[in-house]
Amino acid sequence: MSRETDAVLQLLGQHEAQILTEWMQEAGANASRVTEAGRRAMRTDAEEILRGVREALGGGGDPDAFQSPQWNTLRGALESLSRSRAAQGQSAGDTSAFVLAFKRPLFALIEREVREQPMAAAWTVSLLADRMAQWTVSTYQHTREDLIRRQQQDLLELSTPVIKLFEGVLAVPMIGTLDSARTQVVMETLLQRIVETGSRLAIIDITGVPTVDTLVAQHLLKTVSAIRLMGAECIISGIRPQIAQTIVHLGIDLQGIASKSSLADALTLAMEQQGFVITRRQV
């Protein structure tokens, strides 16, 4: 353990209560907008961080090697802090500012208490606080990215519902752009529902799909192929005149796949294939 690290560790052990109090003041814990529960949470977070710092420095941890095992406890405390604040809607800047507020009380103590190489001790504190702040920002970004991915997945699933129209017939009304990720969700959800319901026919309605290009057509063909491998058949509805012209122009072969211009026509065909006869009731 270096002399400056030992000096910082002694300050943390001898003046913990003072450091915590001044840290909270610097972090704005006494502001009128902070509730009493918020103040207690901030102090608890600070105590966990200080515990991790003492453990790491006492075990010979070097701030320049912040990824080393000695810093595991501290990194865990910072990750918990960052995830908690991200879930509360606070920004990465707010979290890192809270961590950086750790510097001021330590600098004041170093200036007052450390006689040998105070600048080296101050540099150790500054480097450590910067590493801590960087770690919280990195964790915050990963947390937000995971949240966005989960929300995107949820939106994909919500935007591609599989509806049971009647016994043996399912329908998937599609709205918006059809890309690889969405096609995969449609395929997995539809195949799962075919297994669950024992349906023999699926209607894919693309009325709400704005454009159909080669990639979209390939996605549709893959979905139809997967449905057929499950022993079911497929009808594509919503083939508007513009889409029909585009499909012909691109030379896409949809032979063998039933297609209709509207969902109503597809439903009529599906009922006929299931042996139902539609008649108008006399009034």
Side-chain angles (χ1 to χ4, degrees), residues 24 32 65 93 109-110 121 147 154 170 172 181 193 221 235 243 252 256:
M24 294 300 97
S32 58
L109 285 171
I110 289 171
L147 177 60
D154 292 342
L170 301 175
V172 185
R193 288 286 287 159
L221 292 175
I235 301 173
I243 291 179
I252 298 168

Side-chain angles (χ1 to χ4, degrees), residues 118-186:
M119 290 300 296
W123 172 253
T124 298
V125 170
S126 181
L127 179 61
L128 175 57
D130 290 344
R131 293 287 187 272
M132 290 160 54
Q134 290 169 3
W135 193 262
T136 60
V137 171
S138 177
T139 302
Y140 182 92
Q141 290 174 339
H142 290 313
T143 301
R144 296 296 295 175
E145 288 169 1
D146 290 341
L147 177 60
I148 290 171
R149 280 195 293 269
R150 288 197 302 270
Q151 290 174 338
Q152 288 175 336
Q153 183 67 22
D154 292 342
L155 286 173
L156 280 176
E157 294 175 358
L158 288 172
S159 65
T160 52
V162 179
I163 304 167
K164 183 177 180 180
L165 296 178
F166 54 91
E167 192 63 34
V169 179
L170 301 175
V172 185
M174 306 191 68
I175 301 173
T177 304
L178 187 63
D179 55 17
S180 299
R182 193 170 180 204
T183 301
Q184 186 66 29
V185 172
V186 171

Side-chain angles (χ1 to χ4, degrees), residues 73-84:
T73 300
L74 177 58
R75 291 200 307 271
L78 294 172
E79 289 168 5
S80 177
L81 169 69
S82 189
R83 292 194 182 100
S84 173

Side-chain angles (χ1 to χ4, degrees), residues 8 11-12 15-27 46 50 97-114 122 125 129:
V8 173
L11 292 176
L12 292 174
H15 303 280
E16 179 178 354
Q18 178 185 342
I19 292 170
L20 284 170
T21 300
E22 294 181 5
W23 185 358
M24 294 300 97
Q25 292 173 349
E26 181 67 19
L50 281 183
F98 170 76
V99 173
L100 290 172
F102 166 74
K103 286 184 179 183
R104 183 178 289 274
L106 265 295
F107 284 169
L109 285 171
I110 289 171
E111 183 179 10
R112 187 168 62 249
E113 302 286 342
V114 178
V125 170

Side-chain angles (χ1 to χ4, degrees), residues 220-236:
L220 288 174
L221 292 175
K222 288 179 181 179
T223 303
V224 172
S225 298
I227 291 171
R228 286 178 168 173
L229 287 174
M230 295 297 295
E233 284 298 328
C234 182
I235 301 173
I236 298 178

